[in-house]
Structure formats: structure tokens, C-alpha cells
């Protein structure tokens, strides 16, 4: 046989021993009073097989002035007598149902709690005593009476209690649950909503048919949110109910944009009048026009009464919890007018009105407190009717929760009967275990019950052991006859665990004399895109507009900067990427640079064609044709690169830009450097040595250029591998766009590629200086120098202009493109246009004589070089004593000096007459020093050496 779990033996021994010493209670009185109500109990029906214990606040609680302890006060008709009769009414319906607990009669054992936790605790000990007596009788006999019989408690009715209904207030239910857990007796409360009672570790056998204060607090906050009351004071009562609700309100307030100013106000029913006056004074001085009262009835009524005495009955709108807002508000109706409350779902108990109004002391003998109730209404005991019943009766709106508590026990017992008794009528041994039903088994069946409630909706307990979240929103109104009542104006439900739904009939909600509802906010509600800046009191604030580049953080209510490449969306609730922008071929700046580059491409091609047509003329041959075409290729690509730079940025275009930016200048200046180096080696070599300059052939020059260019190629390839081309965005807060550019436009990536070309430019400048005294056809020193100087000037202008454009990438890219085009035009204009001009417009200068001539305008040289000297007009004795190196002439393939022309007057005449084939190679070098006599062999040796150099078949420019 299965035995019930044994409670702590020490506790059982002490309680049962105390009961034996005290003995059984005296006989119960028929008529109750506040003094003897704690000794009264209701047991109905007498032949019940199973009893449900119950504690109802039949009387109020009051403090004894002499002793300072809680005692029972006046009788409560609405909150005491009505729930008791609702339980008896429901039991009658259960016992009349043949399909529910067949063969079993369910009864009730009811006691008065007087709405006091300590008194309820004492009453609950009766269930402990009854359990111990039954355990001693049916299971393990440890105690006996003097005659040897097993002791019984109050006639043995308490032995049949299998569960308890109650209490009403949370503080009472906490005391009951703490005791009943010892004997594993299930408990169902019909109105206790404290969130503390959901703690299954402390109260493992507690259930309730109403929802928890956690959801009630959310419902209150939702009402505040819908009315846009963001600032409200709060008053709560001490104890489990008020303090639990208060903490839930504070915990959830921020989620609903509601703020409760400090200090918060706690009151109890035992506080003095000065305490209440202090709280009311603080409320009046505050800025809040709405006060949330999460308190028990006694606290709320005293608070409203204090406000009335202060003459501030129109000062506040009250938002109440279920602890007081469902009761009659005698003497404070005008103060509470317009109040809004949240109550567990209000439903009328069908048939109860007719049942209750027909009760009389004669017909209702099972209720020992009904006679007192009859007298409380001012009716005689022998009166067959009492008009006051009909005049003062109003069904309490939460009686259906009492009904659900009783029905839940009945259905749990029925499912247990089906499991244990297998359809046999009455209680079977497997269910009662020798007269005792296990509390744990019954509790498990209670968790799984399902039955229709008064609205024909399915009732079931949620995981926390509470009823589903169903609330009614009430409004305290008065009608045309100045009668006040709570009127239902909305509902709040959350039965599925998803988002709760609040439905308010705003047309039915009324304030005082139909006035508009007051505002309650310590700051003006901020508009979208405005930050809430808190003041000294964290509930007060002022609004500040967010900047155009900021968004509003809805969690902190502060403005937060968006990234430079992001902007706030409409409403400034979050940041989004700015619209992408990049330069393309449709941009006006791009069109300008491309038009400039197109002119350069056309000019380069035209110069190339002219060079090709006049390829064999002296001017073109003297310019080193192969190197000139390499230079033209570099210039051509400098113009073409504008189309790549202006193209929409991609990894491909960015890589090409980085590679060709330095590559183009390297090609150009490698060709110029090779040309100037060749001319320098040919014309500035030591003519005393009978050898020609090396590596002066066209093939050698191409190889040298290739080697110089290959260095830049290696540099660029390595740098591209180390720093891959990528896309990035340039952003400015003042702009609504983010500009897509190549990664590296604003760093040192391009500088690396320009270091090597800069060295070539420097070397070209040096060699240009060295070749400044060569024949005019080969002397490009001033052109190359001008090209280099102009290029350096362009670079000096480009760098600050490029860096000073900020994030305007259109100008940056165009600046880079124009930089390349200007460099190409400078090289094209300085190095090619003079030759093109001679070829096209001065063909008389495109001869070998002119190309090989040297002009020195700094000295008044007599080109006839007659023996009379440099100053023929002066007398011989007045001419300065100057010595000059002899001029060397090339005449019909022979080299002649002035000495030889003196020996051959015919040659001299031919030269002075400008005979064909006479070319002056180099002018005489004048010096103020007296030179030694020049032998006739020296000019001949120099002439042969220079002739062998310039007639080198592998040398393109000098070989005519």
C-alpha cells in the first residue's frame, strides 16, 4: 500500500502534542460575532466524502487599541459573505452533476481569516491538526486518548480536507502557503496576485485562478502608455501585494516609456494620519497629475480620504490596482471620480444573483455568518424578507474566480478518480489510500485540468501556476443621478504568451464632469529625431534636435553620430548608407579632362604621322627616331590614362591607374635620358683617343630604355602585390553622398610609383646641361630643361591642389587626369613641336649644314675667319692680343684648319663665298690666355677622330 510522504516528525509531534494538551475545541455557537468568529466553521454537507477547506475574510481586520494586535472587525458583505456563498453555490452545482465525481459528494469546510495574515495563519493550523489526526488514525498510530481510542480533531471533519481555497489578499495566501506546503496540501487562491507566490521553490503547492501581478503591472503601464502619461507618482502598500506590484512596475516601466519620480511612497493600514498627510503633501508638490495606487483597500481609502480633507479632490487622476478598485468607495467617491483601474477579468456568475437575493436566515442555516449578515443589513431575524438585500446588493465582479477554484478541484479529483477507480462509483482504495488522498497526486492533476469558464472559454493554469492574463479596464463614473460605479471600458488580454492586446473604448471613458483627461509629463513628448535630455530629476527632460548626421538611439533617447559614410534615415531612428556617388563619363569635370586628353591624343598621333612621313630628313634623323617613337608612345598613354582614371572605380581601373601613373613618366624620361646620354657620349668624348663611343646604335638605345623601364615595372608589380588595389569611400558629413574611389587616392600609394621617375627627371636635367654646347641639330638642352622645369612646376602645383580638395573626389580625379595630360603636352610641345615646325614650315633649315652648325650669339665672331682677326675694322695695333683655338671645317668630306686655308687661297675663297659642302662644326674657343702655337698635326688628328665618330654607320643622327 502506498504511504503518503511523511512531514517532519518533530513538527508533527509538537503540533499533535499541543492539541492533545489543549484538547478539543468547545461546541460551536450558532450566531457569530467579531469576537467569536475565529471559533466558527462551516461544514457542508455533513455527509460529504471529500472536503475542500477555505478561508474567506468574513470580517475586516482592525488593530486592538489596548493590545496592539490584529483582531476581527466589522462584517464584510461583498468581500466576505458573497465569495463564501459563491463557493457553496458552485458546490451545489457540482454535486447535482451526475457526470462529475459520480458517487462522491464534495463539501466545504470554511473558516474566517478576518483579512489578517496572523489570524489566517492560526486558522490554517486547523488543517495541519486535521491532517495529523488522520495520519495518526489511518497510517501510523503514535498517539491515543485516555480510553485507548485514536484522537480526532473537531469531529473528524478536518481529516477529509484534500485542498484549500484562499486566501483573498496576497499577504494571507503567503502565510497559508508557507504552512500547507509542510503537509503537501494543494492551495488555490481566487484573488491573490502577488508575483512572489509564483516562486515554486518557496510555495510548491500554490495555484491561483487569477493572473500574477507581473502581468497586472504590464497592463497598468500599457494604460499609461496609451494615454501618453509618461510621468506618474506611485503609492503602494507594505506587504507582499503592494511591494511585489511596486517592484514589477519599476522593473517594466522603461519598456513603456513611463517614469516614476522619487521618492516613492509606501503606506500601511497601521500608519498614522501624519504619515498619510506627509505623502499627500509630497504628491501635491510634485509635477505628476496621475498617481498609481498599488495598494490594499484600507490603504487606498485612507489615502483618498486624506486628499479629500486637504481639499484637493480635483488634483489627481488615480490609476488603481485590483486591491481596492473593485470595492465600494464610500465617502471618497468625488475624489476617485474619473479613476481608472485594472482588474482581473470581470464576469458575472450566472444564476448567482437570484440565488443570493433569495437567501434568508431560515433558508440558509448552513452559513453560520448569514444571521450576522442579516442583522448587519438592519433586518429582523424573524423577517421573511429584507428589503435592504435588494437595495444594497451588487454582485462582486470577481466571483467567477471563486467558482473556477472550486471547479478546478472538482475536475482534478474527477481525473484522479478516473485513473484510480476505473469508472467505479465512489471513492476507491487506490484513490484514498485508507482514507487519505495524496496531495502531490492531486496537485499534479490540478496542473493539467481544463474546463470551460463562465464565458465558455477554456480555463487552464499557465506554467507559473497562475490563471491566464485576462483583465478588465474600469472607469469610476457617476450617472445623472450622481450614483458612482465602476464601469467597464476595455480589456487587456494575453492568453497565448505573445504580444498583449489592450482594447479601450475611448468614447466610454470619462473624467470629472466629462472634462478632458489631464496630461502628466515632466517634459514635452519629443518629436521624432529629438533627443530626450534628462534634467536633475531623471523623470524630467527637455528635447533637443539631433543633427543632420545623427540618429536617435531609442534605448538611451540620445543622439548618436552616424559614420561619415552613413546618414540617418527618415525619422532619424537608425543610420543607413549614403547614396553611392562616383565620377563617370557624364560628369562635367570628367568631360573637360577627357576633351583635353582627346586633343592630346590627336596631337600625338599627328606628330607621329609627320615623323613617319619625314622619317629620312636630317631633323628627324638627328632626333633619334627609335627613342622619339618610344617617347611618343609614353606621351600617348599619358593622354589615354585620363579615360581610365575617369572611369567608374573598380579593382581593375584602380590597379591600372596605380601601375601606369609612374610607368608613363618612366617611359618618357627613360627615352629622354637615353637620348641625352648618347649625345653627351658622342660629342663630349676625349677626341685625343682614337675610339668611338659605345652603345650608340638604335638597338642599344632601345635595350637601354627597356632596362630603365623594367625597374619601374618591378617596383609597381611588387607594390601592387603588397598593397592590392581596392575600392574605398570618401565621405563628408556635409554631403549626402559617399564617393567611391580607388583605395590609395589619399595615401602614399601613388607616391611610391613616382619616386623612380623623379630620379630619371633629375638625371635628364644633368645630361641636358652637359649637351648644351653640341650642334644645334643635337642640342636639346634648353628644351629638355624647360620640359623638366615645367614638369616639376606641375608637380608642385598638383600636390597641394590634390590635397586641398578635401573629399570632393570629382576635382581630385580630374586633377590627376589633368596632371598627366599637362605633362604630355609639355613634352609634346617642347621636344616635338619645334621639329615639326621646321619640317612643315622651315624646310630650308632641314639640311645637314644647318643641323651640324653651331651658333654662338654671345660673341661677335667673324664667320669668314680671315687672317685679319676678329676685329677687322680696328687697326692692327689696337686689336686685343687674343689667342683662339683654330676652327675646324668640314669641306667636301675633308677636315681643314685655318692654317691650311691660308696655304690654299682657293679654299678660303670658296669658304668665304659659301661654297657647297662647307660646314662649320665647332666655333673657335676663345681665351684670354696666351696659348702655345698650334702645330699643324693637332687639327688633323682631331678632325680624323671626330669624323670617325660622326660617320659611324651604327650611329643614326650624325650619319648623313
Amino acid at each position: 500500500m502506498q504511504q503518503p510522504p511523511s512531514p517532519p516528525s518533530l513538527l508533527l509531534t509538537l503540533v499533535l502534542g499541543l492539541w492533545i494538551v489543549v484538547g478539543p475545541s468547545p461546541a460551536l455557537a450558532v450566531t457569530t460575532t467579531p469576537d467569536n468568529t475565529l471559533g466558527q466553521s462551516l461544514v457542508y454537507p455533513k455527509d460529504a466524502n471529500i472536503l475542500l477547506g477555505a478561508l474567506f475574510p468574513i470580517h475586516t481586520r482592525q488593530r486592538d487599541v489596548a493590545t496592539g494586535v490584529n483582531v476581527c472587525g466589522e462584517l464584510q458583505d461583498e468581500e466576505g459573505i458573497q465569495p463564501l456563498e459563491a463557493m457553496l453555490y458552485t458546490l451545489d452545482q457540482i454535486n447535482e452533476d451526475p457526470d462529475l465525481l459520480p458517487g462522491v459528494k464534495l463539501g466545504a469546510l470554511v473558516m474566517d481569516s478576518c483579512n489578517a495574515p496572523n489570524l489566517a495563519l492560526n486558522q490554517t493550523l486547523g488543517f495541519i491538526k486535521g491532517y495529523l489526526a488522520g495520519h495518526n488514525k489511518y497510517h501510523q498510530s503514535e498517539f491515543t486518548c485516555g480510553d485507548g481510542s485514536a484522537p480526532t480533531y473537531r469531529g473528524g471533519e478536518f481529516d477529509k480536507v484534500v485542498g484549500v481555497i484562499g486566501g483573498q489578499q496576497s499577504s494571507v495566501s503567503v502565510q497559508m502557503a508557507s504552512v500547507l506546503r509542510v503537509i503537501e496540501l494543494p492551495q488555490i487562491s481566487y484573488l491573490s496576485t502577488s508575483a512572489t507566490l509564483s516562486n515554486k521553490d518557496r510555495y510548491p503547492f500554490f495555484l491561483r485562478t487569477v493572473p500574477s501581478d507581473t502581468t497586472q503591472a504590464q497592463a497598468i503601464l500599457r494604460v499609461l502608455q496609451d494615454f501618453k502619461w509618461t510621468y506618474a507618482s506611485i503609492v503602494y502598500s507594505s506587504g507582499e501585494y503592494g511591494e511585489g506590484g511596486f517592484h514589477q512596475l519599476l522593473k517594466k516601466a522603461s519598456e513603456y516609456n513611463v517614469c516614476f519620480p522619487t521618492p516613492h511612497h509606501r503606506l500601511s493600514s497601521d500608519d498614522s494620519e501624519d504619515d498619510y498627510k506627509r505623502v499627500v503633501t509630497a504628491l501635491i508638490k510634485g509635477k505628476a497629475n496621475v498617481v498609481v495606487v498599488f495598494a490594499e483597500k484600507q490603504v487606498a481609502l485612507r489615502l483618498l480620504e486624506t486628499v479629500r480633507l486637504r481639499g484637493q479632490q480635483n488634483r489627481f487622476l488615480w490609476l488603481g490596482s485590483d486591491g481596492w478598485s473593485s470595492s465600494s468607495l464610500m465617502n471618497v467617491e468625488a475624489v476617485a471620480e474619473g479613476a481608472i483601474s485594472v482588474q482581473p477579468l470581470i464576469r458575472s456568475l450566472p444564476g448567482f444573483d437570484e440565488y443570493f437575493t433569495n437567501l434568508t436566515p431560515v433558508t440558509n442555516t448552513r452559513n453560520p455568518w448569514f444571521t450576522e449578515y442579516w442583522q448587519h443589513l438592519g433586518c429582523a431575524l424573524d423577517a421573511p424578507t429584507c428589503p435592504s438585500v435588494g437595495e444594497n446588493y451588487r454582485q462582486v465582479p470577481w466571483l467567477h474566480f471563486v467558482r473556477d477554484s472550486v471547479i478546478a478541484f472538482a475536475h482534478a479529483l474527477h481525473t484522479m478518480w478516473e485513473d484510480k477507480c476505473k469508472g467505479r462509483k465512489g471513492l476507491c482504495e487506490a484513490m484514498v489510500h485508507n482514507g487519505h488522498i495524496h496531495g502531490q497526486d492531486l496537485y499534479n492533476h490540478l496542473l493539467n485540468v481544463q474546463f470551460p469558464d463562465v464565458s465558455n472559454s477554456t480555463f487552464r493554469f499557465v506554467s507559473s501556476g497562475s490563471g491566464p492574463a485576462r483583465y478588465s479596464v474600469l472607469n469610476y463614473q457617476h450617472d445623472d443621478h450622481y450614483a458612482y460605479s465602476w464601469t467597464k471600458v476595455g480589456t487587456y488580454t494575453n492568453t497565448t504568451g505573445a504580444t498583449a492586446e489592450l482594447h479601450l473604448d475611448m468614447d466610454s471613458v470619462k473624467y470629472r464632469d466629462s472634462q478632458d483627461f489631464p496630461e502628466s509629463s515632466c517634459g514635452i513628448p519629443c518629436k521624432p529625431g529629438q533627443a530626450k535630455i534628462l534634467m536633475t530629476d531623471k523623470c524630467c527632460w527637455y528635447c533637443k534636435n539631433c543633427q543632420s548626421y545623427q540618429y536617435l538611439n531609442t534605448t538611451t533617447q540620445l543622439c548618436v553620430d552616424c559614420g561619415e559614410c552613413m546618414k540617418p534615415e527618415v525619422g532619424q531612428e537608425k543610420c543607413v548608407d549614403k547614396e553611392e556617388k562616383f565620377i563617370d563619363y557624364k560628369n562635367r569635370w570628367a568631360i573637360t579632362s577627357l576633351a583635353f586628353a582627346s586633343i592630346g591624343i590627336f596631337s600625338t598621333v599627328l606628330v607621329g604621322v609627320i615623323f613617319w612621313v619625314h622619317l629620312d630628313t636630317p631633323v628627324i634623323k638627328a632626333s633619334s627616331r627609335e627613342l622619339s617613337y618610344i617617347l611618343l608612345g609614353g606621351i600617348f598613354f599619358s593622354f589615354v590614362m585620363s579615360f581610365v582614371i575617369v572611369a567608374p572605380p573598380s579593382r581593375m581601373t584602380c590597379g591600372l591607374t596605380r601601375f601606369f601613373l609612374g610607368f608613363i613618366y618612366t617611359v618618357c624620361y627613360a627615352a629622354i635620358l637615353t637620348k641625352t646620354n648618347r649625345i653627351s657620349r658622342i660629342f663630349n668624348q676625349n677626341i685625343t683617343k682614337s675610339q668611338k663611343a659605345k652603345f650608340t646604335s638604335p638597338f642599344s638605345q632601345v635595350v637601354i630604355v627597356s632596362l630603365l623601364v623594367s625597374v619601374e615595372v618591378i617596383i609597381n608589380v611588387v607594390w601592387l602585390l603588397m598593397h592590392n588595389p581596392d575600392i574605398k569611400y570618401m565621405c563628408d558629413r556635409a554631403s549626402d553622398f559617399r564617393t567611391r574611389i580607388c583605395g590609395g587616392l589619399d595615401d602614399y600609394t601613388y607616391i611610391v610609383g613616382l619616386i623612380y621617375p623623379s630620379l630619371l627627371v633629375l638625371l635628364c636635367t644633368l645630361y641636358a646641361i652637359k649637351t648644351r654646347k653640341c650642334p644645334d641639330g643635337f642640342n636639346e638642352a634648353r628644351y629638355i630643361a624647360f620640359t623638366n622645369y615645367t614638369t616639376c612646376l606641375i608637380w608642385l602645383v598638383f600636390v597641394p591642389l590634390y590635397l586641398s580638395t578635401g573629399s570632393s573626389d570629382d576635382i581630385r580625379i580630374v586633377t590627376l587626369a589633368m596632371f598627366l595630360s599637362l605633362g604630355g603636352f609639355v613634352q609634346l610641345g617642347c621636344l616635338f613641336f619645334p621639329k615639326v615646325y621646321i619640317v612643315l614650315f622651315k624646310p630650308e633649315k632641314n639640311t645637314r649644314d644647318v643641323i651640324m652648325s653651331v651658333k654662338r650669339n654671345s660673341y661677335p665672331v667673324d664667320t669668314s675667319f680671315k687672317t685679319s682677326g676678329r676685329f677687322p675694322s680696328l687697326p692692327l695695333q689696337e686689336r686685343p692680343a687674343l689667342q683662339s683655338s683654330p676652327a675646324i671645317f668640314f669641306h667636301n668630306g675633308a677636315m681643314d684648319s685655318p692654317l691650311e686655308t691660308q696655304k690654299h687661297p682657293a679654299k678660303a675663297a670658296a669658304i668665304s663665298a659659301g661654297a657647297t659642302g662647307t660646314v662649320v662644326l665647332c666655333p673657335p674657343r676663345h681665351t684670354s690666355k696666351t696659348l702655345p702655337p698650334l702645330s699643324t698635326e693637332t687639327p688633323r688628328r682631331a678632325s680624323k677622330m671626330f669624323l670617325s665618330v660622326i660617320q659611324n654607320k651604327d650611329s643614326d643622327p650624325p650619319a648623313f
Side-chain angles (χ1 to χ4, degrees):
M1 180 181 297
Q2 184 179 3
Q3 297 294 330
S6 298
S9 58
L10 179 60
L11 177 62
L12 292 175
T13 303
L14 290 176
V15 174
L16 187 57
L18 178 63
W19 172 71
I20 293 175
V21 173
V22 175
S25 300
L28 300 178
V30 176
T31 303
T32 62
T33 64
D35 295 332
N36 67 5
T37 185
L38 295 177
Q40 295 287 349
S41 64
L42 181 155
V43 180
Y44 178 83
K46 297 296 183 179
D47 59 344
N49 305 104
I50 300 174
L51 294 178
L52 297 177
L55 288 180
F56 292 107
I58 307 300
H59 293 81
T60 61
R61 175 186 61 185
Q62 68 180 34
R63 184 173 293 277
D64 186 272
V65 179
T67 60
V69 298
N70 290 327
V71 296
C72 297
E74 297 180 355
L75 183 136
Q76 297 188 110
D77 53 354
E78 291 185 350
E79 298 185 6
I81 298 299
Q82 283 197 35
L84 169 58
E85 290 297 336
M87 179 179 182
L88 298 177
Y89 174 71
T90 304
L91 285 173
D92 290 339
Q93 293 180 328
I94 292 173
N95 290 327
E96 291 173 1
D97 188 352
D99 297 327
L100 190 60
L101 290 174
V104 179
K105 186 168 289 188
L106 186 63
L109 194 158
V110 183
M111 293 182 291
D112 188 2
S113 68
C114 293
N115 213 25
N118 59 326
L119 298 178
L121 178 61
N122 293 333
Q123 294 289 62
T124 306
L125 289 176
F127 301 117
I128 298 288
K129 296 174 183 179
Y131 174 84
L132 294 177
H135 187 273
N136 184 73
K137 178 180 180 181
Y138 296 109
H139 298 288
Q140 185 176 358
S141 180
E142 297 181 356
F143 304 96
T144 58
C145 297
D147 58 359
S149 62
T152 60
Y153 178 67
R154 299 176 74 167
E157 290 89 354
F158 283 79
D159 300 351
K160 302 177 182 179
V161 174
V162 297
V164 178
I165 293 177
Q168 183 169 300
Q169 289 190 352
S170 295
S171 57
V172 172
S173 293
V174 166
Q175 296 297 331
M176 295 174 60
S178 299
V179 173
L180 295 177
R181 65 172 294 182
V182 176
I183 57 175
E184 298 184 352
L185 199 61
Q187 172 190 358
I188 300 180
S189 173
Y190 55 89
L191 210 58
S192 297
T193 58
S194 174
T196 305
L197 290 166
S198 297
N199 189 336
K200 289 306 177 182
D201 293 331
R202 298 176 59 185
Y203 313 108
F205 293 93
F206 177 82
L207 299 170
R208 53 187 163 194
T209 54
V210 289
S212 167
D213 280 342
T214 301
T215 52
Q216 183 176 190
Q218 293 175 351
I220 292 175
L221 292 170
R222 181 65 182 274
V223 172
L224 288 169
Q225 185 184 52
D226 275 30
F227 278 94
K228 295 181 174 57
W229 292 326
T230 59
Y231 186 73
S233 299
I234 184 170
V235 179
Y236 62 99
S237 60
S238 58
E240 294 289 341
Y241 173 75
E243 294 178 4
F246 164 71
H247 290 301
Q248 291 298 322
L249 286 171
L250 289 186
K251 182 179 179 180
K252 300 290 184 179
S254 61
E255 298 179 12
Y256 295 86
N257 196 28
V258 175
C259 186
F260 298 110
T262 55
H264 310 297
H265 309 290
R266 183 178 66 176
L267 291 170
S268 70
S269 58
D270 299 328
D271 288 342
S272 64
E273 293 298 328
D274 291 337
D275 293 331
Y276 279 86
K277 290 179 180 178
R278 174 182 53 80
V279 170
V280 171
T281 301
L283 293 176
I284 293 173
K285 290 182 178 179
K287 298 180 180 180
N289 296 322
V290 174
V291 180
V292 177
V293 182
F294 210 111
E296 298 174 352
K297 179 180 178 181
Q298 291 85 350
V299 173
L301 292 179
R302 288 187 63 184
L303 177 67
L304 296 178
E305 178 64 18
T306 306
V307 173
R308 185 184 69 82
L309 295 176
R310 289 289 302 271
Q312 299 291 329
Q313 65 182 30
N314 297 326
R315 173 68 172 82
F316 302 107
L317 182 141
W318 308 95
L319 184 54
S321 63
D322 64 301
W324 64 275
S325 56
S326 61
S327 306
S328 176
L329 305 178
M330 298 296 294
N331 302 324
V332 292
E333 295 95 338
V335 180
E337 182 183 356
I340 297 175
S341 71
V342 175
Q343 282 282 329
L345 187 64
I346 294 177
R347 292 276 171 78
S348 177
L349 185 58
F352 182 77
D353 293 342
E354 183 181 359
Y355 161 78
F356 188 81
T357 54
N358 290 327
L359 292 176
T360 66
V362 177
T363 59
N364 191 17
T365 57
R366 63 184 179 181
N367 186 349
W369 294 280
F370 195 80
T371 300
E372 184 183 353
Y373 167 71
W374 194 264
Q375 293 175 335
H376 176 74
L377 295 177
C379 300
L381 292 177
D382 56 352
T385 61
C386 182
S388 298
V389 175
E391 294 175 1
N392 299 319
Y393 171 75
R394 180 183 63 90
Q395 184 183 141
V396 179
W398 41 261
L399 290 183
H400 65 96
F401 291 115
V402 179
R403 180 256 184 193
D404 291 341
S405 301
V406 179
I407 294 293
F409 270 118
H411 278 268
L413 289 169
H414 183 77
T415 56
M416 180 183 288
W417 172 81
E418 290 179 336
D419 292 342
K420 304 293 184 181
C421 299
K422 307 302 181 182
R424 187 178 62 182
K425 290 186 177 182
L427 298 176
C428 60
E429 179 63 20
M431 180 176 177
V432 297
H433 305 293
N434 287 333
H436 180 77
I437 295 177
H438 290 177
Q440 183 65 59
D441 288 345
L442 180 58
Y443 179 79
N444 293 336
H445 284 83
L446 281 170
L447 292 177
N448 297 317
V449 295
Q450 295 186 24
F451 56 88
D453 59 13
V454 294
S455 63
N456 207 28
S457 298
T458 300
F459 176 89
R460 62 172 63 89
F461 292 105
V462 297
S463 58
S464 63
S466 303
R470 299 173 298 171
Y471 292 93
S472 295
V473 181
L474 307 180
N475 183 214
Y476 198 63
Q477 303 175 358
H478 72 82
D479 55 23
D480 296 337
H481 302 287
Y482 294 96
Y484 292 90
S485 62
W486 289 101
T487 303
K488 182 178 178 181
V489 294
T491 59
Y492 177 89
T493 57
N494 186 7
T495 57
T496 62
T499 304
E501 297 180 358
L502 174 64
H503 299 284
L504 284 175
D505 184 4
M506 299 304 296
D507 295 334
S508 301
V509 184
K510 296 180 181 179
Y511 189 50
R512 306 176 189 276
D513 298 326
S514 299
Q515 299 177 8
D516 293 335
F517 281 93
E519 295 182 356
S520 188
S521 174
C522 194
I524 302 174
C526 295
K527 299 178 181 178
Q530 289 185 329
K532 182 184 292 184
I533 309 300
L534 298 180
M535 302 173 67
T536 304
D537 188 340
K538 67 177 183 179
C539 292
C540 299
W541 68 88
Y542 66 91
C543 298
K544 179 182 178 182
N545 291 327
C546 293
Q547 299 295 328
S548 59
Y549 55 83
Q550 295 178 324
Y551 77 98
L552 181 65
N553 188 319
T554 55
T555 302
T556 62
Q557 293 296 313
L558 297 176
C559 294
V560 181
D561 291 353
C562 293
E564 289 190 350
C565 289
M566 303 185 75
K567 65 178 181 179
E569 67 172 1
V570 178
Q572 293 185 297
E573 294 182 356
K574 65 178 181 179
C575 293
V576 296
D577 290 334
K578 290 182 178 179
E579 184 180 349
E580 189 174 289
K581 176 186 176 183
F582 51 83
I583 193 170
D584 55 19
Y585 299 123
K586 299 179 181 179
N587 186 280
R588 58 190 179 94
W589 295 104
I591 294 174
T592 302
S593 62
L594 294 181
F596 197 64
S598 299
I599 295 173
I601 292 173
F602 174 78
S603 301
T604 304
V605 173
L606 182 61
V607 169
V609 171
I610 293 174
F611 265 54
W612 181 263
V613 173
H614 302 275
L615 192 62
D616 295 326
T617 61
V619 169
I620 304 302
K621 294 176 67 176
S623 64
S624 298
R625 292 172 293 186
E626 292 78 7
L627 298 180
S628 295
Y629 275 105
I630 292 176
L631 180 58
L632 282 175
I635 297 173
F636 178 81
F637 278 109
S638 67
F639 293 119
V640 172
M641 277 304 299
S642 295
F643 293 86
V644 178
I645 294 174
V646 174
S650 64
R651 291 177 61 90
M652 177 63 71
T653 58
C654 294
L656 291 176
T657 301
R658 281 176 52 185
F659 181 86
F660 279 98
L661 183 61
F663 178 80
I664 289 171
Y665 276 97
T666 300
V667 171
C668 294
Y669 282 94
I672 297 175
L673 176 62
T674 303
K675 178 191 292 189
T676 54
N677 174 267
R678 179 192 184 197
I679 295 174
S680 174
R681 289 187 292 112
I682 292 176
F683 289 101
N684 292 324
Q685 66 177 343
N686 189 351
I687 61 176
T688 62
K689 297 180 180 181
S690 58
Q691 60 181 6
K692 64 178 181 178
K694 298 180 179 180
F695 306 114
T696 59
S697 65
F699 176 78
S700 300
Q701 305 308 299
V702 173
V703 172
I704 293 173
V705 171
S706 300
L707 292 176
L708 293 175
V709 172
S710 64
V711 176
E712 176 69 9
V713 173
I714 294 174
I715 293 175
N716 286 342
V717 170
V718 172
W719 189 243
L720 285 174
L721 294 176
M722 293 177 61
H723 194 284
N724 294 329
D726 199 2
I727 301 300
K728 64 182 299 184
Y729 293 93
M730 294 186 67
C731 306
D732 187 357
R733 284 180 175 173
S735 174
D736 291 334
F737 300 93
R738 55 176 182 152
T739 305
R740 187 173 72 180
I741 62 172
C742 295
L745 276 178
D746 55 350
D747 56 27
Y748 299 101
T749 303
Y750 292 119
I751 296 178
V752 173
L754 293 175
I755 294 177
Y756 181 66
S758 301
L759 297 176
L760 297 182
V761 171
L762 179 61
L763 291 176
C764 287
T765 304
L766 295 177
Y767 274 108
I769 296 174
K770 291 185 66 176
T771 59
R772 67 188 184 278
K773 294 182 179 181
C774 291
D776 284 350
F778 305 93
N779 189 355
E780 296 181 336
R782 59 180 180 273
Y783 301 119
I784 295 175
F786 183 77
T787 302
N788 296 341
Y789 300 154
T790 306
T791 301
C792 293
L793 180 62
I794 292 174
W795 284 6
L796 292 176
V797 173
F798 162 74
V799 173
L801 179 62
Y802 183 82
L803 297 178
S804 65
T805 53
S807 60
S808 179
D809 192 60
D810 293 354
I811 300 179
R812 280 191 167 208
I813 293 177
V814 171
T815 301
L816 184 61
M818 294 294 291
F819 161 65
L820 290 176
S821 296
L822 285 175
F825 273 115
V826 167
Q827 297 173 35
L828 199 64
C830 295
L831 301 178
F832 289 95
F833 283 177
K835 295 179 175 57
V836 171
Y837 176 77
I838 292 175
V839 169
L840 296 181
F841 303 105
K842 296 292 183 178
E844 66 277 8
K845 294 184 177 182
N846 192 6
T847 62
R848 287 176 295 176
D849 296 344
V850 176
I851 294 303
M852 297 300 296
S853 67
V854 178
K855 296 180 180 179
R856 299 294 181 185
N857 297 325
S858 57
Y859 297 100
V861 180
D862 186 357
T863 57
S864 64
F865 289 95
K866 297 181 179 180
T867 56
S868 61
R870 293 179 56 196
F871 306 96
S873 61
L874 295 178
L876 183 61
Q877 61 275 14
E878 296 181 9
R879 297 174 185 174
L882 298 176
Q883 295 287 343
S884 301
S885 59
I888 301 174
F889 297 91
F890 175 68
H891 181 256
N892 294 330
M895 301 291 292
D896 295 321
S897 66
L899 296 177
E900 292 189 8
T901 56
Q902 292 177 6
K903 296 178 181 180
H904 305 280
K907 287 186 178 181
I911 292 173
S912 62
T916 302
T918 302
V919 179
V920 179
L921 287 180
C922 293
R925 298 183 181 180
H926 303 281
T927 176
S928 58
K929 297 181 180 180
T930 303
L931 299 176
L934 183 65
S935 67
T936 57
E937 294 299 326
T938 300
R940 294 182 182 274
R941 191 183 311 113
S943 299
K944 292 180 180 180
M945 179 66 67
F946 195 77
L947 181 62
S948 64
V949 172
I950 63 175
Q951 289 182 341
N952 182 9
K953 296 181 180 179
D954 294 333
S955 178
D956 183 34
F960 295 98

